[in-house]
Amino acid sequence: MSFGKTLYATENPELFAKFTPLIEEYNKAREEQIKNYDPEFYAKCKDTVAPAEQLDSEPINALQYLEKLLTPSELVIVNEYSIKDLLDKQLDKKLTAVEIINAYIKAAIISQFSTNCGMQFLIPEALSKAKKLDEYLAEHGKLIGPFHGIPVSLKEQMNYAGKQTSASYVAYLKNIPKESGVTIQILDKLGANFHIRTAQPQAIMWLDTGNVITGRTRNPVSTRLSPGGSSGGESACVGSHGSCIGVGSDIGGSIRAPAAFANIFGLKPTTRRFSLMNGLSGGKGQESIVAVQGPLARSIEEMEYFTENYLNEGKPWEYDPLCVPIAWNTKVELPKKIRIGVLFDDNLVTPYPAVTRGMESVVEKLSKAGEDFEIVDLSKYWYSEKEMEEIYTMNIGLYTCDGNKVQLGMFGESGEPLEKLTRHFLNFDGGVERSVYENRMFNAKRDSLKVEMFNKFFKGLKLDFILSPTYCGPSEKQENSLYWGYTSFWNLLDYPNVIFPSGVVHDDKIDTIDKLAGPLKSNKYEAMVWKKDGKVIYDPKDYIGGPVALQLTAERFHDEDAVACVKKITKVLGIERR
Amino acid sequence: MSFGKTLYATENPELFAKFTPLIEEYNKAREEQIKNYDPEFYAKCKDTVAPAEQLDSEPINALQYLEKLLTPSELVIVNEYSIKDLLDKQLDKKLTAVEIINAYIKAAIISQFSTNCGMQFLIPEALSKAKKLDEYLAEHGKLIGPFHGIPVSLKEQMNYAGKQTSASYVAYLKNIPKESGVTIQILDKLGANFHIRTAQPQAIMWLDTGNVITGRTRNPVSTRLSPGGSSGGESACVGSHGSCIGVGSDIGGSIRAPAAFANIFGLKPTTRRFSLMNGLSGGKGQESIVAVQGPLARSIEEMEYFTENYLNEGKPWEYDPLCVPIAWNTKVELPKKIRIGVLFDDNLVTPYPAVTRGMESVVEKLSKAGEDFEIVDLSKYWYSEKEMEEIYTMNIGLYTCDGNKVQLGMFGESGEPLEKLTRHFLNFDGGVERSVYENRMFNAKRDSLKVEMFNKFFKGLKLDFILSPTYCGPSEKQENSLYWGYTSFWNLLDYPNVIFPSGVVHDDKIDTIDKLAGPLKSNKYEAMVWKKDGKVIYDPKDYIGGPVALQLTAERFHDEDAVACVKKITKVLGIERR
């Protein structure tokens, strides 16, 4: 959050100084709002939740604070009731939308103390909407829509009408959109209640979350770890039960890494199914790799319910001409024997021992699950280390090949200090400005990979799905998520993925360096992740509490199949609602 | 077809000389094939069809030669029977696939003499397939698929397994793909019979058709005029009944201009519905404006039948991961009162008098057609001249903003001479190489236009469709199709269009310069089309026989609605199968 010794071209301490009052005012407004909501509760939270320094340095599970700070009836709302339960109980007059939102506002405030997940709270709006929803139900005897009274958190970069929408760019604290994002409009119409807008990292291009306005966000299951990013505010909030479900976005792993790091569920749908209309990012006009929106959820059933209703009741294509009008298929029939290709290692960056243990554990359990699953080891079919190095370099270069002009322009408006992972991103493929010709050749190569994945893997090997790590580590240390390849590969190819907890959590006694299957590879990305000054820097103690969640990939537009398969897999694994 | 005084950078007469034997061999093979098919018929064609010089200088309707050269039973096959008739008559044993293909091979040979539509004939293959189809029907008592024995012409740029596929690039006469285009694979499987692959212009980027290999293609309804392009071989072939239906492609008007110039029907579908997989073009990796495939047809009912079966039986998304899995909606319900926005003039280039007369005629007939249609004049809502000039300059610049590197690379391989309209294309927006940043800003502007069209026109004005000219002229003189705006605008925005004959044909007595509604505009594109050395060059005599076909635009992915509406419109107009 401060300027380094050498200033980046856009960094301008003098200019930035003019924005610090705006930042202070923004943060004060949030703090005042949560304080004014219930000063007593606020004080109790402050006393109960460990101080920031402790949270930042110890592997604390933030979920513990719920029990200490909520009443039993609030606790059951935020911990026990799924979306379906909340809807049923409202219909049965056992619960009101006002009770639900109050419990979740409190949980979100606790989450704010423990994980620093929020950019902006919407408490007065949420309370007012809950009241209206209760009145509607009383008057009409039915729910207003499939999300009636369901507390939903929103990644802040989505425009919210009348509210500052900065996407964590300091200069854009002045940006107040007139119209909300299409997804927000749809969810609002279907009855969802929004009480918190969550943090994203600077540039919105880290697999971690921290920015100059609100600082760092923490991992809800092990606070000193990263919550992932760029939807890390979402994973922290949903993962600590601060919301029932959340909406994030993903262009390189930004739904999936956070979902995995927080040990919850995430869906990166096929592009153009969710609407991205009315949002702010530094990727304006970049379409070689297309961003998507998608949910982060506490159970696969809720993820399915959310997506089905968002698409089939919400029909985003009636709001946004960039969307494809493809309803959610509610009649998925999985093959009797599901053939899953398994990729333990992408041949570029070796996963950490806990991740490999998580993969092995899941594969073993699926293999033993009777006749339902057939496992195909992809190691002998996958791209070679050299091919992967080329693919990944192109992949990350496609983000920065405008020479970062859009991003730097947005940073330059405030002169804000650029953080470590922002600089890491800006330096992808050297941050080189490419010619349109080079960009087109990359596009053609990308399409040939997309076709090859289809022909060689899904058709040729007759795979139904591909199972792989979500990230090389069992979550990650703060400011250390350097390698995007396990997720960004699927953005490049635009195949949908579902993230689900494996049941395995990093264990510093078990997941030691000697557990590596083979020697480390010699490419530069392996060195970037594993080494410092040529020496391996892996310390199992750094990852205490870090969960392993895996990634299931389906064919394009077969998002429904991946969700259905994860439902089946999590049953085998015994993975329950978080 | 010859080098000018000043050579373009890629032109290389010495290198090109090495390719002339290949060209001669290629053309000779075609000539030999059609001659060997039936030497007597060939000789009769040669005697009957006017010589090239006459066809090039007079407004001859090529359809007349069918009656002179075909037997009555052949004539009824190529002139009278729709796809459905041909299928029924095969089922009823009134016709065989062999009889059908022989009639169409003859008609295509006549078309070759009159319009020079073909690059390559597939006579032995087509005869052999017809025989197999007849055997299949005899054995199984049913048709093999919805296109059983239907003669389909194919734009040559689509890969054809084992056959030279040059896309009219001289150097690519050496290119022999192993696998056919996905669309060809699908149509083949569904029973279609391919007897001719048709010409496209050099660069595949003219609204006219001529290339260094096969020379110029002629307009089937007025031979000295252009057949349009780039699918001008298709429009010439289908329009002269050389095939029952044809497959073209469109990135700036390449299905629609040819369909309009030949007075037939054309569909430019929403992108990613038809598969473009396995084809050759100079647009590799360019995706700011995405090309599409689509049919050119002799009736709207056949176009609908073709598209429905291609999508719903063929399922291109099962072959091509770039396709969207959206079936053809067979249950379109048009509004009781169809609200059509009418754009007489795009505010950039004034249409020729015949085109305006065609628009007025159709609007008048629709207005009088009882309660079915409501007409909204868009002139006061449309973009201003200045806005359109900016949009169009960006539009055409998006094609060339790689500095034409891909195209020039392909031309450079043979050093082939570059024709007038190729140079015109290469000079779009000055042929300037843009930065990735500029390209991204164009993409963002394009998306904002796409959204504005949706919000302001379709939603705001509650339009169901937009009716506009297909081209500024009633077809065009050879080498004179300079302005793409009436069609390319809809590629930029990616809205689907259907082309249909208006019933109006240019009349040199009526469509005189004094019929212009107002003065010409002052922008450079108007001057490019209308003037030479500052003087208006319009001569009504130049356009004798030029038909006026119009363009109906629907919302994205509402291709079905546009087709359904054109069915209704053509009923009102009394437009029958061509």
Side-chain angles (χ1 to χ4, degrees), chain A residues 285-287 318-319 321 325 398-399 401-402 405 433-437 439-440 443 446 454 556-557, chain B residues 285-288 318-319 321 325 398-399 401-402 405-406 433-437 440 443 446 454 556-557:
Chain A
Q286 190 280 103
E287 60 187 12
E318 293 186 355
Y319 299 71
L398 279 168
Y399 300 119
C401 66
D402 70 334
K405 275 191 187 160
E433 182 170 9
R434 298 285 185 178
S435 69
V436 170
Y437 174 78
N439 197 343
R440 288 188 183 180
N443 293 344
R446 174 208 62 195
F454 183 79
R556 293 191 75 215
F557 294 106
Chain B
Q286 190 282 102
E287 61 186 12
S288 293
E318 291 186 355
Y319 300 71
L398 279 168
Y399 300 119
C401 66
D402 69 334
K405 274 190 187 162
V406 176
E433 183 172 8
R434 298 284 185 177
S435 69
V436 169
Y437 174 77
R440 287 188 184 181
N443 293 345
R446 175 208 61 196
F454 183 79
R556 294 191 74 214
F557 295 107

Side-chain angles (χ1 to χ4, degrees), chain A residues 407-426:
Chain A
Q407 290 278 8
L408 295 178
M410 293 170 83
F411 293 136
E413 289 179 54
S414 72
E416 65 181 287
L418 299 187
E419 303 206 33
K420 176 186 164 189
L421 287 181
T422 302
R423 291 164 185 253
H424 174 68
F425 160 71
L426 293 172

Side-chain angles (χ1 to χ4, degrees), chain B residues 478-497:
Chain B
Q478 295 267 16
E479 292 204 298
N480 208 50
S481 305
L482 301 174
Y483 178 62
W484 297 19
Y486 282 95
T487 46
S488 64
F489 181 85
W490 298 114
N491 298 88
L492 181 71
L493 270 63
D494 189 14
Y495 281 67
N497 324 92

Side-chain angles (χ1 to χ4, degrees), chain B residues 183-415:
Chain B
T183 295
I184 295 180
Q185 292 178 39
I186 287 173
L187 295 174
D188 181 43
K189 204 171 154 187
L190 299 179
N193 206 355
F194 313 117
H195 59 306
I196 183 168
R197 300 174 73 200
T198 64
Q200 61 266 311
Q202 192 178 48
I204 335 182
M205 292 302 269
W206 314 359
L207 295 189
D208 191 359
T209 298
N211 64 67
V212 173
I213 301 165
T214 58
R216 317 218 139 269
T217 301
R218 300 182 196 94
N219 188 318
V221 296
S222 184
T223 53
R224 74 172 174 182
L225 289 172
S226 158
S230 66
S231 311
E234 280 306 311
S235 68
C237 185
V238 176
S240 60
H241 306 185
S243 60
C244 197
I245 196 162
V247 187
S249 61
D250 192 317
I251 198 171
S254 283
I255 287 170
R256 291 162 293 157
F261 288 18
N263 214 19
I264 57 176
F265 297 83
L267 167 65
K268 174 185 80 64
T270 308
T271 53
R272 312 284 188 204
R273 293 196 76 171
F274 277 62
S275 172
L276 276 174
M277 201 164 132
N278 304 341
L280 185 60
S281 88
K284 192 176 172 187
Q286 190 282 102
E287 61 186 12
S288 293
I289 301 178
V290 176
V292 296
Q293 260 180 19
L296 292 92
R298 286 159 56 188
S299 68
I300 186 70
E301 289 78 13
E302 285 165 295
M303 172 184 288
E304 186 181 43
Y305 178 86
F306 178 85
T307 311
E308 176 187 331
N309 282 286
Y310 168 76
L311 291 178
N312 294 6
E313 300 301 316
K315 303 188 199 314
W317 52 87
E318 291 186 355
Y319 300 71
D320 176 357
L322 277 75
C323 280
V324 291
I326 299 183
W328 186 257
N329 176 10
T330 57
K331 290 169 188 162
V332 168
E333 283 186 36
L334 291 173
K336 215 173 160 211
K337 193 166 195 118
I338 301 170
R339 208 168 136 86
I340 301 184
V342 174
L343 187 74
F344 286 92
D345 182 323
D346 74 353
N347 289 340
L348 194 57
V349 171
T350 306
Y352 285 12
V355 173
T356 300
R357 188 163 61 83
M359 284 288 295
E360 284 169 350
S361 156
V362 170
V363 168
E364 195 193 340
K365 285 175 182 161
L366 294 182
S367 301
K368 287 181 180 167
E371 292 294 299
D372 289 355
F373 297 95
E374 187 181 355
I375 303 295
V376 181
D377 187 332
L378 295 184
S379 55
K380 65 177 170 185
Y381 305 106
W382 200 250
Y383 299 94
S384 70
E385 182 179 357
K386 188 164 170 292
E387 286 168 333
M388 283 301 290
E389 190 168 355
E390 271 175 34
I391 291 169
Y392 185 63
T393 302
M394 174 180 88
N395 181 347
I396 58 179
L398 279 168
Y399 300 119
T400 56
C401 66
D402 69 334
N404 292 313
K405 274 190 187 162
V406 176
Q407 290 278 7
L408 295 177
M410 292 169 82
F411 292 136
E413 287 179 56
S414 72

